[in-house]
Amino acid sequence: MSDPDPAYGAIRRDGVLRVGRPATEWLSTGPNGGRQTADHAYNISVPEGWERTDLAAYVGERLERAGFDPAGTTRRGPALLTGVDIDDARGACRGPVTVYATAGISNPAALPIERSHEAADRTDGGDADPLAPDEAAQGQARGTVNVIVGTTRALAPGALENLIAVAAEAKAATLLAETGFPGTTTDAIVVGHDPEGRPAEFSGSGTEVGAATRVCVRDAVRASLQAHYADRDADAPDSVTDATYGVSTDGRAAVFRPPLE
């Protein structure tokens, strides 16, 4: 069976994955994120013990070192950072969608869910549990699940933003099935579309773009997880306690019914 020819091609070099299609409009949840038009998006593997905080400068250094970002380049495109080796990146394509993922789960973010009847016993309007100290920045080591999604369709206003939700849902469902966790403390997503492509008004799960995204995210994340742990001494953790790093969001919110006017 021949290798696929994805509409969003990618190259791995010096710890950087470059994903490209000319004049793509990207939307990123990562560092210096937001919406921009550029030919490429990037996923960059950082070394163990990495503690840089000047992220824009660091990204520029890494891209220039890899030969992807010559000095003076202004339209760089979005970049994500990961503790997962870029050799473990995997891609998947279906119809108008291409997805690339890197997945490691050393810093899981658990969200315990009580059963519906237990939640119903709580009093509406009750006090919320006090918030725990912010520990999200602790120990970001060899984890992170990063996903880059590209579609050849030209998405209508709002549909590109919705594609992030579709990809995040698929990522969480896949991770829950494979690891028991919906994500890690540092996950990020980039989505892109072709403004000159065939128009698509919606991107929900019932659309061609949304359905293809769900399938591709599932298969790329699963394949990257398998690659990441194939040659490692340790398996994915069974609990936050077993993980090198991680958090469990155990608090309760104050639940209320909006007033009727």
Side-chain angles (χ1 to χ4, degrees), residues 7 35 39 43 83 120-121 138 141 196 204 225 245:
R35 189 182 289 258
D39 294 341
N43 194 9
D121 289 339
Q138 293 185 6
E196 302 300 320
L225 271 175
Y245 307 98

Side-chain angles (χ1 to χ4, degrees), residues 107-168:
N107 53 331
L111 180 63
I113 306 293
E114 59 192 356
R115 296 180 182 274
S116 296
H117 71 272
E118 294 170 344
D121 289 339
R122 290 165 47 193
T123 302
D124 283 357
D127 291 338
D129 288 347
L131 293 175
D134 183 6
E135 299 176 350
Q138 293 185 6
Q140 302 185 2
R142 306 304 294 176
T144 299
V145 181
N146 283 345
V147 175
I148 298 177
V149 180
T151 178
T152 57
R153 300 291 186 257
L155 299 181
L160 189 62
E161 288 83 352
N162 185 69
L163 199 58
I164 288 179
V166 172

